[in-house]
Amino acid sequence: MDGATAARAGAGTARQDAARPGCPADPVLDHLRRTARSSRCKSYVDLFGACASMSGNRQVAAQAASDVLMRCLSQALGRRPVLYREGEREMSFDEAWLMALVRSLQADDVASATFLLHSRVPKHARRNLVFLLQRVAEDFDQV
């Protein structure tokens, strides 16, 4: 392969990475990674109780939803999720699944959201997880 062909191939890969949702330029994923990192040493929070105690203040509620989501995600998944550092180019399976769920909720794609939830989340945790993810997705600009 000559230099021009290699340059075109490299440029195509760069464009694909930039266009791919969930790339490091994805601000929601970086926000969730940052929130997960800052909440690692905080005390246990019950998923159901945390959803019930959300603030009426939109800005406070937006940050609280992110915090509670990342602190309780392990309860919904039944194990601790794998989350990379903020700005990483790679995405873990858990991060890719979470971002696919966020995109399906934002697009109001009920079939995809249902499939994603049923594939990993027990029935008793689905409603609360969706509530928190919708708050994060809708109010991301408030955080």
Side-chain angles (χ1 to χ4, degrees):
M1 176 178 348
D2 66 357
T5 306
R8 282 192 301 264
T13 304
R15 278 192 300 260
Q16 288 172 351
D17 284 347
R20 190 178 80 223
C23 245
D26 192 327
V28 175
L29 178 59
D30 273 347
H31 167 72
L32 292 176
R33 286 173 170 172
R34 185 174 42 255
T35 302
R37 189 165 178 81
S38 69
S39 65
R40 285 189 316 188
C41 60
K42 293 182 180 177
S43 64
Y44 174 82
V45 174
D46 179 65
L47 182 61
F48 181 77
C51 288
S53 67
M54 298 300 280
S55 172
N57 179 324
R58 188 175 171 106
Q59 188 171 7
V60 171
Q63 182 58 48
S66 298
D67 187 50
V68 169
L69 171 68
M70 299 318 292
R71 289 171 69 186
C72 297
L73 188 57
S74 61
Q75 292 175 51
L77 296 177
R79 64 172 183 75
R80 189 173 181 175
V82 174
L83 300 168
Y84 296 149
R85 290 181 187 260
E86 182 180 356
E88 286 287 326
R89 292 191 61 78
E90 297 288 321
M91 276 195 331
S92 70
F93 176 80
D94 295 323
E95 291 171 332
W97 175 83
L98 190 61
M99 295 314 300
L101 185 53
V102 166
R103 284 190 304 274
S104 66
L105 291 172
Q106 287 174 329
D108 202 25
D109 182 358
V110 176
S112 295
T114 300
F115 171 77
L116 290 164
L117 283 169
H118 286 223
S119 69
R120 300 194 65 197
V121 180
K123 189 174 185 175
H124 70 274
R126 290 176 190 155
R127 176 177 285 158
N128 293 328
L129 184 66
V130 167
F131 170 76
L132 291 170
L133 274 172
Q134 283 179 326
R135 293 294 301 195
V136 169
E138 291 171 1
D139 298 333
F140 180 70
D141 60 324
Q142 299 290 321
V143 178

